[in-house]
Amino acid sequence: MKNIQLKDDISLSEFSLGCMNLPLHDSDEMERIIGRALEAGITHFDTADLYQFGENEKAVGEALGKFRGDYSFTIGTKAGNEFDAARKEKIGWNPSASHIKESIKQSLSRLGVEAIDLYQLHGGTIEDNKDETIGAFEDLKQEGLIRSYGISSIRPNVIDYYMKHSSIATLMMQFNPIDNRPLEILDGLNSDVGILARGPVMKGLLSDNADKVLENKFADGVLEYSHDELKRTIGALREVHSDLTALSYAFLRHHDAAIVNGVSSLSQLESNIDSYNRMPELSQEDHDRIMSAVRLMKYEAHRA
Ligand SMILES: NC(=O)c1ccc[n+]([C@@H]2O[C@H](COP(=O)([O-])OP(=O)(O)OC[C@H]3O[C@@H](n4cnc5c(N)ncnc54)[C@H](OP(=O)(O)O)[C@@H]3O)[C@@H](O)[C@H]2O)c1
C-alpha cells in the first residue's frame, strides 16, 4: 500500500476506507471489514458526525478500538452540520466557532480518541463567516484536539477562499473518470493540499457490477449523462481497461489523488482491494483514451 504524506506530519494510506455505508448494526461484519482493511494496509478511516446522526462515529470508533494495539491508523471526521441525535434529524448548517468547538467534544467521545487526526468542514458556503471557522480549526490544532484540518467541498469559490486563507491539509471531492469536475480545480490548488477522492467507484458504477448498478441506481442518468450515454461510456471505459475499479484508481493516482472508497460489505472491500492491487500504470495515452470516453465536466455553480 502506497502512503501519502500530508502537512502536519500526517501520513495516509493511498486507499482510505469510507465508513458512511458500513453495516453499523452488524458488529461482527464491522470488525471483519475493519480488520481486513487494516490487514491490507489501509490506515485511514473516513467518517462524519452527521453519518447516522453520530452512530457511525460510535460504531467505527468501537470497531477500530479492537485493533488499536496491533495497528496504527488515522481517523478523519467532519463537522458543520447541526443535528438532533435523539430524534435523528438534521437541524441545519452551522460552521460557527462555538458549534465546531462543541461538536468536537462529541466526536472525540463517540470515536473514543483524544485527538482527531483530520478534522474536516463538512461542506460550506461562500456566505459563511469563513474566517471564524478557520480560526476555530486553528484553535483546536493549538489545543492539540486535532492534528490537522481540511474541507469537503465542491464549490470553486469556497475552495478558492480556503486555499488563500487557511492552512488546510486536504480537500475532499467526488472524483472519478465520470465525475471529473475536480480536474479544473487541481491546477489552482496549493501544492501542499492533498486531494481525497470520494466516490471513486461512483456507487458501484465503476465496478464489475456496473451493468446492474447502472439499471438500479442510474436509470435516470447522472450529472449531464443520460442513462444511455452512461451505458456507452462504461463500454468505452472497459475498452481501456476491463477492471473499471482499477482503472478509476489508476486515473486518481495519475492526478495524485488519494482514494476514499466506501463499502457496505466485506465482499465489496475484498473486490476493491483486489482491484487496488491490480491497478495498471496509466500512460498519458491511456489517460487520453479515458478522457475521450467521458465528458469533460465542469462545476457550473458557486463560481463567483
Ligand atoms: N460530502 C462529503 O464529505 C461526503 C459525501 C459522500 C461520501 N463521503 C465519504 O466518502 C466515502 C466514499 O463515498 P461514496 O460512498 O459516496 O462513494 P463510493 O465509495 O464510490 O461508493 C460506495 C458505495 O459503492 C458501492 N460499492 C463499493 N464497492 C463496490 C463494488 N466492488 N461493487 C459494487 N458496488 C460497490 C456500495 O454501494 P451499496 O452499499 O449500495 O452496495 C458502496 O456503499 C464515504 O464512505 C464517506 O466516508 C463524504
mmCIF file of all heavy atoms in Angstrom, residues 17-22 46-48 51 78 120-123 152-153 172 174 176 197-210 213 217 245 249 260-265 267-269 271-272, ligand 1:
data_model
loop_
_atom_site.group_PDB
_atom_site.id
_atom_site.type_symbol
_atom_site.label_atom_id
_atom_site.label_comp_id
_atom_site.label_asym_id
_atom_site.label_seq_id
_atom_site.Cartn_x
_atom_site.Cartn_y
_atom_site.Cartn_z
ATOM 1 N N LEU A 17 -10.605 3.884 3.858
ATOM 2 C CA LEU A 17 -11.937 3.288 3.912
ATOM 3 C C LEU A 17 -12.971 4.366 4.241
ATOM 4 O O LEU A 17 -12.903 5.001 5.294
ATOM 5 C CB LEU A 17 -11.979 2.172 4.964
ATOM 6 C CG LEU A 17 -13.286 1.370 4.965
ATOM 7 C CD1 LEU A 17 -13.432 0.559 3.669
ATOM 8 C CD2 LEU A 17 -13.355 0.439 6.158
ATOM 9 N N GLY A 18 -13.914 4.558 3.315
ATOM 10 C CA GLY A 18 -15.050 5.444 3.558
ATOM 11 C C GLY A 18 -16.061 4.671 4.395
ATOM 12 O O GLY A 18 -16.508 3.593 4.005
ATOM 13 N N CYS A 19 -16.414 5.213 5.550
ATOM 14 C CA CYS A 19 -17.211 4.424 6.512
ATOM 15 C C CYS A 19 -18.707 4.718 6.474
ATOM 16 O O CYS A 19 -19.471 4.082 7.211
ATOM 17 C CB CYS A 19 -16.663 4.662 7.918
ATOM 18 S SG CYS A 19 -14.948 4.098 8.083
ATOM 19 N N MET A 20 -19.118 5.626 5.604
ATOM 20 C CA MET A 20 -20.524 6.079 5.602
ATOM 21 C C MET A 20 -21.543 4.942 5.426
ATOM 22 O O MET A 20 -22.597 4.961 6.049
ATOM 23 C CB MET A 20 -20.690 7.104 4.470
ATOM 24 C CG MET A 20 -22.007 7.802 4.404
ATOM 25 S SD MET A 20 -21.987 9.114 3.140
ATOM 26 C CE MET A 20 -22.066 8.178 1.623
ATOM 27 N N ASN A 21 -21.217 3.974 4.597
ATOM 28 C CA ASN A 21 -22.203 2.916 4.291
ATOM 29 C C ASN A 21 -21.894 1.582 4.959
ATOM 30 O O ASN A 21 -22.418 0.542 4.545
ATOM 31 C CB ASN A 21 -22.278 2.697 2.768
ATOM 32 C CG ASN A 21 -22.826 3.915 2.045
ATOM 33 O OD1 ASN A 21 -23.432 4.782 2.678
ATOM 34 N ND2 ASN A 21 -22.616 3.989 0.751
ATOM 35 N N LEU A 22 -21.054 1.585 5.964
ATOM 36 C CA LEU A 22 -20.722 0.318 6.636
ATOM 37 C C LEU A 22 -21.962 -0.249 7.342
ATOM 38 O O LEU A 22 -22.849 0.508 7.752
ATOM 39 C CB LEU A 22 -19.611 0.548 7.679
ATOM 40 C CG LEU A 22 -18.215 0.829 7.124
ATOM 41 C CD1 LEU A 22 -17.234 1.103 8.269
ATOM 42 C CD2 LEU A 22 -17.715 -0.333 6.280
ATOM 43 N N ASP A 46 -12.526 7.222 7.094
ATOM 44 C CA ASP A 46 -13.252 8.480 6.948
ATOM 45 C C ASP A 46 -14.691 8.353 7.436
ATOM 46 O O ASP A 46 -15.445 7.509 6.968
ATOM 47 C CB ASP A 46 -13.266 8.902 5.470
ATOM 48 C CG ASP A 46 -13.992 10.214 5.279
ATOM 49 O OD1 ASP A 46 -13.387 11.262 5.573
ATOM 50 O OD2 ASP A 46 -15.179 10.197 4.870
ATOM 51 N N THR A 47 -15.050 9.213 8.383
ATOM 52 C CA THR A 47 -16.425 9.230 8.873
ATOM 53 C C THR A 47 -16.871 10.687 8.989
ATOM 54 O O THR A 47 -16.212 11.597 8.489
ATOM 55 C CB THR A 47 -16.532 8.448 10.213
ATOM 56 O OG1 THR A 47 -17.875 8.519 10.691
ATOM 57 C CG2 THR A 47 -15.600 8.968 11.284
ATOM 58 N N ALA A 48 -18.012 10.922 9.614
ATOM 59 C CA ALA A 48 -18.505 12.287 9.851
ATOM 60 C C ALA A 48 -19.481 12.229 11.004
ATOM 61 O O ALA A 48 -20.145 11.210 11.208
ATOM 62 C CB ALA A 48 -19.211 12.824 8.602
ATOM 63 N N TYR A 51 -23.101 11.290 9.889
ATOM 64 C CA TYR A 51 -23.490 9.966 9.371
ATOM 65 C C TYR A 51 -24.256 9.198 10.450
ATOM 66 O O TYR A 51 -23.728 8.923 11.536
ATOM 67 C CB TYR A 51 -22.274 9.141 8.933
ATOM 68 C CG TYR A 51 -21.462 9.735 7.792
ATOM 69 C CD1 TYR A 51 -20.176 9.283 7.528
ATOM 70 C CD2 TYR A 51 -21.967 10.745 6.977
ATOM 71 C CE1 TYR A 51 -19.421 9.813 6.488
ATOM 72 C CE2 TYR A 51 -21.217 11.278 5.937
ATOM 73 C CZ TYR A 51 -19.952 10.811 5.709
ATOM 74 O OH TYR A 51 -19.201 11.336 4.688
ATOM 75 N N LYS A 78 -15.858 14.756 10.294
ATOM 76 C CA LYS A 78 -16.305 16.053 9.741
ATOM 77 C C LYS A 78 -17.335 16.701 10.659
ATOM 78 O O LYS A 78 -18.035 16.001 11.391
ATOM 79 C CB LYS A 78 -16.930 15.854 8.355
ATOM 80 C CG LYS A 78 -16.110 14.967 7.445
ATOM 81 C CD LYS A 78 -16.647 14.893 6.038
ATOM 82 C CE LYS A 78 -16.008 13.743 5.286
ATOM 83 N NZ LYS A 78 -16.590 12.434 5.587
ATOM 84 N N GLN A 120 -12.531 17.721 9.287
ATOM 85 C CA GLN A 120 -12.899 18.389 8.044
ATOM 86 C C GLN A 120 -14.213 19.149 8.175
ATOM 87 O O GLN A 120 -15.153 18.688 8.827
ATOM 88 C CB GLN A 120 -13.046 17.343 6.924
ATOM 89 C CG GLN A 120 -11.762 16.593 6.627
ATOM 90 C CD GLN A 120 -12.045 15.179 6.118
ATOM 91 O OE1 GLN A 120 -11.958 14.912 4.939
ATOM 92 N NE2 GLN A 120 -12.397 14.269 7.022
ATOM 93 N N LEU A 121 -14.264 20.297 7.509
ATOM 94 C CA LEU A 121 -15.519 21.030 7.431
ATOM 95 C C LEU A 121 -16.379 20.310 6.397
ATOM 96 O O LEU A 121 -15.956 20.092 5.257
ATOM 97 C CB LEU A 121 -15.249 22.482 7.009
ATOM 98 C CG LEU A 121 -16.478 23.385 7.053
ATOM 99 C CD1 LEU A 121 -16.970 23.573 8.491
ATOM 100 C CD2 LEU A 121 -16.180 24.739 6.425
ATOM 101 N N HIS A 122 -17.596 19.948 6.822
ATOM 102 C CA HIS A 122 -18.441 19.068 6.004
ATOM 103 C C HIS A 122 -19.268 19.874 5.002
ATOM 104 O O HIS A 122 -20.497 19.819 5.002
ATOM 105 C CB HIS A 122 -19.354 18.267 6.933
ATOM 106 C CG HIS A 122 -19.847 16.990 6.355
ATOM 107 N ND1 HIS A 122 -20.474 16.029 7.107
ATOM 108 C CD2 HIS A 122 -19.808 16.485 5.102
ATOM 109 C CE1 HIS A 122 -20.799 15.005 6.349
ATOM 110 N NE2 HIS A 122 -20.416 15.256 5.120
ATOM 111 N N GLY A 123 -18.609 20.664 4.173
ATOM 112 C CA GLY A 123 -19.305 21.478 3.172
ATOM 113 C C GLY A 123 -18.957 22.936 3.379
ATOM 114 O O GLY A 123 -17.803 23.265 3.629
ATOM 115 N N SER A 152 -14.378 19.481 2.920
ATOM 116 C CA SER A 152 -15.028 18.670 1.897
ATOM 117 C C SER A 152 -15.922 19.632 1.147
ATOM 118 O O SER A 152 -16.879 20.163 1.722
ATOM 119 C CB SER A 152 -15.838 17.566 2.575
ATOM 120 O OG SER A 152 -16.519 16.845 1.584
ATOM 121 N N SER A 153 -15.584 19.914 -0.088
ATOM 122 C CA SER A 153 -16.355 20.924 -0.831
ATOM 123 C C SER A 153 -16.249 20.704 -2.325
ATOM 124 O O SER A 153 -15.207 20.250 -2.818
ATOM 125 C CB SER A 153 -15.818 22.322 -0.503
ATOM 126 O OG SER A 153 -16.513 23.296 -1.254
ATOM 127 N N MET A 172 -11.574 17.289 0.105
ATOM 128 C CA MET A 172 -12.303 16.094 -0.337
ATOM 129 C C MET A 172 -13.349 16.488 -1.379
ATOM 130 O O MET A 172 -14.089 17.445 -1.191
ATOM 131 C CB MET A 172 -12.984 15.421 0.872
ATOM 132 C CG MET A 172 -13.785 14.200 0.481
ATOM 133 S SD MET A 172 -14.544 13.363 1.891
ATOM 134 C CE MET A 172 -13.182 12.376 2.473
ATOM 135 N N GLN A 174 -15.955 14.548 -4.710
ATOM 136 C CA GLN A 174 -16.253 13.362 -5.523
ATOM 137 C C GLN A 174 -15.392 13.459 -6.781
ATOM 138 O O GLN A 174 -15.389 14.482 -7.456
ATOM 139 C CB GLN A 174 -17.736 13.310 -5.909
ATOM 140 C CG GLN A 174 -18.023 12.138 -6.856
ATOM 141 C CD GLN A 174 -19.485 11.764 -6.921
ATOM 142 O OE1 GLN A 174 -20.023 11.167 -5.998
ATOM 143 N NE2 GLN A 174 -20.133 12.101 -8.027
ATOM 144 N N ASN A 176 -13.755 10.893 -10.026
ATOM 145 C CA ASN A 176 -13.537 9.628 -10.743
ATOM 146 C C ASN A 176 -13.604 9.953 -12.234
ATOM 147 O O ASN A 176 -13.899 11.106 -12.583
ATOM 148 C CB ASN A 176 -14.589 8.579 -10.300
ATOM 149 C CG ASN A 176 -16.007 9.024 -10.589
ATOM 150 O OD1 ASN A 176 -16.365 9.326 -11.723
ATOM 151 N ND2 ASN A 176 -16.831 9.105 -9.535
ATOM 152 N N ALA A 197 -10.234 11.746 -2.876
ATOM 153 C CA ALA A 197 -11.275 11.478 -3.878
ATOM 154 C C ALA A 197 -12.326 10.546 -3.294
ATOM 155 O O ALA A 197 -12.095 9.350 -3.138
ATOM 156 C CB ALA A 197 -10.649 10.865 -5.124
ATOM 157 N N ARG A 198 -13.494 11.137 -2.969
ATOM 158 C CA ARG A 198 -14.601 10.275 -2.542
ATOM 159 C C ARG A 198 -15.360 9.836 -3.793
ATOM 160 O O ARG A 198 -15.227 10.457 -4.859
ATOM 161 C CB ARG A 198 -15.511 11.005 -1.555
ATOM 162 C CG ARG A 198 -16.233 12.201 -2.126
ATOM 163 C CD ARG A 198 -17.183 12.781 -1.093
ATOM 164 N NE ARG A 198 -17.734 14.055 -1.503
ATOM 165 C CZ ARG A 198 -18.838 14.213 -2.230
ATOM 166 N NH1 ARG A 198 -19.504 13.154 -2.682
ATOM 167 N NH2 ARG A 198 -19.266 15.419 -2.524
ATOM 168 N N GLY A 199 -16.145 8.765 -3.630
ATOM 169 C CA GLY A 199 -16.922 8.301 -4.790
ATOM 170 C C GLY A 199 -16.080 7.712 -5.904
ATOM 171 O O GLY A 199 -16.441 7.826 -7.079
ATOM 172 N N PRO A 200 -14.952 7.058 -5.597
ATOM 173 C CA PRO A 200 -14.091 6.566 -6.682
ATOM 174 C C PRO A 200 -14.741 5.480 -7.540
ATOM 175 O O PRO A 200 -14.390 5.335 -8.703
ATOM 176 C CB PRO A 200 -12.867 6.006 -5.940
ATOM 177 C CG PRO A 200 -13.366 5.666 -4.581
ATOM 178 C CD PRO A 200 -14.408 6.703 -4.265
ATOM 179 N N VAL A 201 -15.690 4.732 -6.954
ATOM 180 C CA VAL A 201 -16.367 3.708 -7.779
ATOM 181 C C VAL A 201 -17.768 4.169 -8.182
ATOM 182 O O VAL A 201 -18.542 3.392 -8.741
ATOM 183 C CB VAL A 201 -16.417 2.311 -7.094
ATOM 184 C CG1 VAL A 201 -15.013 1.810 -6.799
ATOM 185 C CG2 VAL A 201 -17.263 2.302 -5.828
ATOM 186 N N MET A 202 -18.062 5.435 -7.903
ATOM 187 C CA MET A 202 -19.349 6.027 -8.333
ATOM 188 C C MET A 202 -20.515 5.106 -7.952
ATOM 189 O O MET A 202 -21.283 4.675 -8.786
ATOM 190 C CB MET A 202 -19.275 6.287 -9.840
ATOM 191 C CG MET A 202 -20.291 7.230 -10.406
ATOM 192 S SD MET A 202 -19.748 8.928 -10.370
ATOM 193 C CE MET A 202 -21.283 9.740 -10.811
ATOM 194 N N LYS A 203 -20.568 4.770 -6.673
ATOM 195 C CA LYS A 203 -21.633 3.925 -6.094
ATOM 196 C C LYS A 203 -21.699 2.533 -6.722
ATOM 197 O O LYS A 203 -22.734 1.871 -6.694
ATOM 198 C CB LYS A 203 -22.989 4.626 -6.192
ATOM 199 C CG LYS A 203 -22.974 6.008 -5.558
ATOM 200 C CD LYS A 203 -24.340 6.554 -5.338
ATOM 201 C CE LYS A 203 -24.345 7.995 -4.867
ATOM 202 N NZ LYS A 203 -23.325 8.355 -3.890
ATOM 203 N N GLY A 204 -20.611 2.091 -7.326
ATOM 204 C CA GLY A 204 -20.565 0.751 -7.920
ATOM 205 C C GLY A 204 -20.646 0.768 -9.443
ATOM 206 O O GLY A 204 -20.481 -0.252 -10.100
ATOM 207 N N LEU A 205 -20.869 1.966 -10.019
ATOM 208 C CA LEU A 205 -20.937 2.065 -11.480
ATOM 209 C C LEU A 205 -19.581 1.747 -12.113
ATOM 210 O O LEU A 205 -19.505 1.241 -13.230
ATOM 211 C CB LEU A 205 -21.381 3.492 -11.858
ATOM 212 C CG LEU A 205 -21.712 3.748 -13.313
ATOM 213 C CD1 LEU A 205 -22.878 2.884 -13.775
ATOM 214 C CD2 LEU A 205 -22.059 5.222 -13.538
ATOM 215 N N LEU A 206 -18.517 2.043 -11.364
ATOM 216 C CA LEU A 206 -17.178 1.719 -11.861
ATOM 217 C C LEU A 206 -16.695 0.469 -11.121
ATOM 218 O O LEU A 206 -15.761 0.494 -10.334
ATOM 219 C CB LEU A 206 -16.243 2.913 -11.645
ATOM 220 C CG LEU A 206 -16.624 4.143 -12.472
ATOM 221 C CD1 LEU A 206 -15.865 5.387 -12.029
ATOM 222 C CD2 LEU A 206 -16.387 3.885 -13.964
ATOM 223 N N SER A 207 -17.415 -0.623 -11.359
ATOM 224 C CA SER A 207 -17.052 -1.901 -10.725
ATOM 225 C C SER A 207 -17.491 -3.031 -11.662
ATOM 226 O O SER A 207 -18.115 -2.784 -12.698
ATOM 227 C CB SER A 207 -17.753 -2.058 -9.366
ATOM 228 O OG SER A 207 -19.102 -2.453 -9.549
ATOM 229 N N ASP A 208 -17.209 -4.256 -11.248
ATOM 230 C CA ASP A 208 -17.640 -5.420 -12.030
ATOM 231 C C ASP A 208 -19.164 -5.493 -12.136
ATOM 232 O O ASP A 208 -19.702 -6.186 -12.980
ATOM 233 C CB ASP A 208 -17.168 -6.712 -11.341
ATOM 234 C CG ASP A 208 -15.687 -6.917 -11.547
ATOM 235 O OD1 ASP A 208 -15.099 -6.131 -12.315
ATOM 236 O OD2 ASP A 208 -15.136 -7.841 -10.921
ATOM 237 N N ASN A 209 -19.823 -4.810 -11.194
ATOM 238 C CA ASN A 209 -21.292 -4.839 -11.175
ATOM 239 C C ASN A 209 -21.910 -3.664 -11.927
ATOM 240 O O ASN A 209 -23.069 -3.328 -11.701
ATOM 241 C CB ASN A 209 -21.793 -4.802 -9.726
ATOM 242 C CG ASN A 209 -21.372 -6.035 -8.976
ATOM 243 O OD1 ASN A 209 -21.643 -7.143 -9.406
ATOM 244 N ND2 ASN A 209 -20.665 -5.854 -7.870
ATOM 245 N N ALA A 210 -21.126 -3.045 -12.803
ATOM 246 C CA ALA A 210 -21.574 -1.814 -13.470
ATOM 247 C C ALA A 210 -22.947 -1.960 -14.128
ATOM 248 O O ALA A 210 -23.796 -1.062 -13.993
ATOM 249 C CB ALA A 210 -20.537 -1.396 -14.505
ATOM 250 N N VAL A 213 -25.672 -1.970 -11.494
ATOM 251 C CA VAL A 213 -25.714 -0.672 -10.801
ATOM 252 C C VAL A 213 -26.303 0.402 -11.729
ATOM 253 O O VAL A 213 -27.094 1.254 -11.306
ATOM 254 C CB VAL A 213 -24.305 -0.275 -10.293
ATOM 255 C CG1 VAL A 213 -24.284 1.155 -9.761
ATOM 256 C CG2 VAL A 213 -23.842 -1.246 -9.208
ATOM 257 N N LYS A 217 -29.299 2.079 -9.985
ATOM 258 C CA LYS A 217 -29.036 3.378 -9.345
ATOM 259 C C LYS A 217 -28.984 4.549 -10.317
ATOM 260 O O LYS A 217 -29.026 5.696 -9.894
ATOM 261 C CB LYS A 217 -27.710 3.332 -8.573
ATOM 262 C CG LYS A 217 -27.692 2.344 -7.409
ATOM 263 C CD LYS A 217 -26.386 2.451 -6.619
ATOM 264 C CE LYS A 217 -26.317 1.464 -5.482
ATOM 265 N NZ LYS A 217 -24.988 1.398 -4.866
ATOM 266 N N THR A 245 -12.843 -0.569 -11.716
ATOM 267 C CA THR A 245 -12.407 -0.033 -10.417
ATOM 268 C C THR A 245 -10.909 0.272 -10.466
ATOM 269 O O THR A 245 -10.472 1.359 -10.077
ATOM 270 C CB THR A 245 -12.732 -1.046 -9.297
ATOM 271 O OG1 THR A 245 -14.138 -1.310 -9.316
ATOM 272 C CG2 THR A 245 -12.337 -0.525 -7.939
ATOM 273 N N TYR A 249 -9.035 3.905 -10.042
ATOM 274 C CA TYR A 249 -7.951 4.128 -9.071
ATOM 275 C C TYR A 249 -6.697 4.655 -9.799
ATOM 276 O O TYR A 249 -6.017 5.565 -9.307
ATOM 277 C CB TYR A 249 -7.578 2.831 -8.352
ATOM 278 C CG TYR A 249 -8.630 2.239 -7.432
ATOM 279 C CD1 TYR A 249 -8.515 0.918 -6.997
ATOM 280 C CD2 TYR A 249 -9.720 2.986 -6.984
ATOM 281 C CE1 TYR A 249 -9.451 0.348 -6.138
ATOM 282 C CE2 TYR A 249 -10.664 2.424 -6.139
ATOM 283 C CZ TYR A 249 -10.529 1.110 -5.712
ATOM 284 O OH TYR A 249 -11.452 0.552 -4.876
ATOM 285 N N VAL A 260 -10.837 7.504 -1.453
ATOM 286 C CA VAL A 260 -11.661 7.261 -0.254
ATOM 287 C C VAL A 260 -12.857 6.436 -0.714
ATOM 288 O O VAL A 260 -13.823 6.963 -1.260
ATOM 289 C CB VAL A 260 -12.134 8.571 0.399
ATOM 290 C CG1 VAL A 260 -12.915 8.265 1.685
ATOM 291 C CG2 VAL A 260 -10.942 9.467 0.728
ATOM 292 N N ASN A 261 -12.735 5.133 -0.544
ATOM 293 C CA ASN A 261 -13.747 4.221 -1.103
ATOM 294 C C ASN A 261 -14.667 3.695 -0.007
ATOM 295 O O ASN A 261 -14.206 3.168 1.009
ATOM 296 C CB ASN A 261 -13.040 3.057 -1.783
ATOM 297 C CG ASN A 261 -13.835 2.424 -2.907
ATOM 298 O OD1 ASN A 261 -13.269 1.800 -3.802
ATOM 299 N ND2 ASN A 261 -15.143 2.582 -2.895
ATOM 300 N N GLY A 262 -15.958 3.843 -0.231
ATOM 301 C CA GLY A 262 -16.937 3.309 0.710
ATOM 302 C C GLY A 262 -17.341 1.904 0.319
ATOM 303 O O GLY A 262 -17.328 1.556 -0.866
ATOM 304 N N VAL A 263 -17.680 1.096 1.310
ATOM 305 C CA VAL A 263 -18.216 -0.250 1.047
ATOM 306 C C VAL A 263 -19.338 -0.504 2.052
ATOM 307 O O VAL A 263 -19.380 0.097 3.120
ATOM 308 C CB VAL A 263 -17.146 -1.370 1.191
ATOM 309 C CG1 VAL A 263 -16.019 -1.194 0.178
ATOM 310 C CG2 VAL A 263 -16.589 -1.446 2.611
ATOM 311 N N SER A 264 -20.226 -1.444 1.678
ATOM 312 C CA SER A 264 -21.247 -1.847 2.647
ATOM 313 C C SER A 264 -21.117 -3.318 3.005
ATOM 314 O O SER A 264 -21.928 -3.835 3.762
ATOM 315 C CB SER A 264 -22.645 -1.538 2.104
ATOM 316 O OG SER A 264 -22.845 -2.174 0.872
ATOM 317 N N SER A 265 -20.093 -3.990 2.450
ATOM 318 C CA SER A 265 -19.900 -5.408 2.798
ATOM 319 C C SER A 265 -18.423 -5.776 2.665
ATOM 320 O O SER A 265 -17.656 -5.090 1.973
ATOM 321 C CB SER A 265 -20.716 -6.303 1.859
ATOM 322 O OG SER A 265 -20.185 -6.202 0.551
ATOM 323 N N SER A 267 -17.342 -8.347 1.062
ATOM 324 C CA SER A 267 -17.022 -8.793 -0.298
ATOM 325 C C SER A 267 -16.703 -7.600 -1.204
ATOM 326 O O SER A 267 -15.834 -7.690 -2.075
ATOM 327 C CB SER A 267 -18.135 -9.676 -0.871
ATOM 328 O OG SER A 267 -19.312 -8.940 -0.938
ATOM 329 N N GLN A 268 -17.394 -6.468 -0.996
ATOM 330 C CA GLN A 268 -17.044 -5.282 -1.798
ATOM 331 C C GLN A 268 -15.620 -4.832 -1.467
ATOM 332 O O GLN A 268 -14.845 -4.475 -2.353
ATOM 333 C CB GLN A 268 -18.022 -4.134 -1.513
ATOM 334 C CG GLN A 268 -19.398 -4.358 -2.119
ATOM 335 C CD GLN A 268 -20.388 -3.246 -1.784
ATOM 336 O OE1 GLN A 268 -20.098 -2.353 -0.985
ATOM 337 N NE2 GLN A 268 -21.558 -3.305 -2.382
ATOM 338 N N LEU A 269 -15.283 -4.875 -0.177
ATOM 339 C CA LEU A 269 -13.930 -4.453 0.207
ATOM 340 C C LEU A 269 -12.889 -5.373 -0.429
ATOM 341 O O LEU A 269 -11.892 -4.912 -0.991
ATOM 342 C CB LEU A 269 -13.773 -4.452 1.730
ATOM 343 C CG LEU A 269 -12.369 -4.077 2.231
ATOM 344 C CD1 LEU A 269 -12.002 -2.638 1.863
ATOM 345 C CD2 LEU A 269 -12.249 -4.262 3.742
ATOM 346 N N SER A 271 -13.136 -7.124 -3.127
ATOM 347 C CA SER A 271 -13.066 -6.866 -4.561
ATOM 348 C C SER A 271 -12.288 -5.571 -4.845
ATOM 349 O O SER A 271 -11.456 -5.512 -5.755
ATOM 350 C CB SER A 271 -14.508 -6.818 -5.084
ATOM 351 O OG SER A 271 -14.557 -6.216 -6.313
ATOM 352 N N ASN A 272 -12.516 -4.549 -4.016
ATOM 353 C CA ASN A 272 -11.827 -3.271 -4.249
ATOM 354 C C ASN A 272 -10.327 -3.369 -3.922
ATOM 355 O O ASN A 272 -9.503 -2.761 -4.600
ATOM 356 C CB ASN A 272 -12.502 -2.151 -3.446
ATOM 357 C CG ASN A 272 -13.931 -1.925 -3.893
ATOM 358 O OD1 ASN A 272 -14.333 -2.379 -4.960
ATOM 359 N ND2 ASN A 272 -14.716 -1.239 -3.087
HETATM 360 N N1 LIG B 1 -19.635 15.449 1.462
HETATM 361 C C1 LIG B 1 -18.818 14.542 1.954
HETATM 362 O O1 LIG B 1 -17.903 14.859 2.672
HETATM 363 C C2 LIG B 1 -19.009 13.101 1.588
HETATM 364 C C3 LIG B 1 -20.105 12.717 0.814
HETATM 365 C C4 LIG B 1 -20.221 11.370 0.482
HETATM 366 C C5 LIG B 1 -19.257 10.469 0.915
HETATM 367 N N2 LIG B 1 -18.216 10.852 1.693
HETATM 368 C C6 LIG B 1 -17.188 9.890 2.165
HETATM 369 O O2 LIG B 1 -16.609 9.247 1.064
HETATM 370 C C7 LIG B 1 -16.787 7.840 1.167
HETATM 371 C C8 LIG B 1 -16.981 7.241 -0.205
HETATM 372 O O3 LIG B 1 -18.018 7.908 -0.895
HETATM 373 P P1 LIG B 1 -19.293 7.179 -1.525
HETATM 374 O O4 LIG B 1 -19.725 6.125 -0.556
HETATM 375 O O5 LIG B 1 -20.265 8.213 -1.962
HETATM 376 O O6 LIG B 1 -18.723 6.598 -2.857
HETATM 377 P P2 LIG B 1 -18.120 5.218 -3.328
HETATM 378 O O7 LIG B 1 -17.010 4.831 -2.423
HETATM 379 O O8 LIG B 1 -17.811 5.360 -4.776
HETATM 380 O O9 LIG B 1 -19.363 4.252 -3.193
HETATM 381 C C9 LIG B 1 -19.581 3.407 -2.116
HETATM 382 C C10 LIG B 1 -20.739 2.505 -2.484
HETATM 383 O O10 LIG B 1 -20.491 1.917 -3.761
HETATM 384 C C11 LIG B 1 -20.896 0.582 -3.764
HETATM 385 N N3 LIG B 1 -19.698 -0.258 -3.962
HETATM 386 C C12 LIG B 1 -18.477 -0.136 -3.392
HETATM 387 N N4 LIG B 1 -17.648 -1.085 -3.847
HETATM 388 C C13 LIG B 1 -18.361 -1.835 -4.715
HETATM 389 C C14 LIG B 1 -18.066 -2.961 -5.514
HETATM 390 N N5 LIG B 1 -16.849 -3.502 -5.513
HETATM 391 N N6 LIG B 1 -19.048 -3.465 -6.293
HETATM 392 C C15 LIG B 1 -20.280 -2.911 -6.311
HETATM 393 N N7 LIG B 1 -20.631 -1.840 -5.577
HETATM 394 C C16 LIG B 1 -19.670 -1.309 -4.798
HETATM 395 C C17 LIG B 1 -21.569 0.311 -2.441
HETATM 396 O O11 LIG B 1 -22.953 0.624 -2.625
HETATM 397 P P3 LIG B 1 -24.102 -0.262 -1.918
HETATM 398 O O12 LIG B 1 -23.875 -0.052 -0.461
HETATM 399 O O13 LIG B 1 -25.378 0.355 -2.435
HETATM 400 O O14 LIG B 1 -23.885 -1.675 -2.369
HETATM 401 C C18 LIG B 1 -20.895 1.314 -1.540
HETATM 402 O O15 LIG B 1 -21.685 1.642 -0.420
HETATM 403 C C19 LIG B 1 -17.979 7.665 2.114
HETATM 404 O O16 LIG B 1 -17.977 6.420 2.757
HETATM 405 C C20 LIG B 1 -17.745 8.797 3.060
HETATM 406 O O17 LIG B 1 -16.781 8.403 4.027
HETATM 407 C C21 LIG B 1 -18.071 12.172 2.013
#
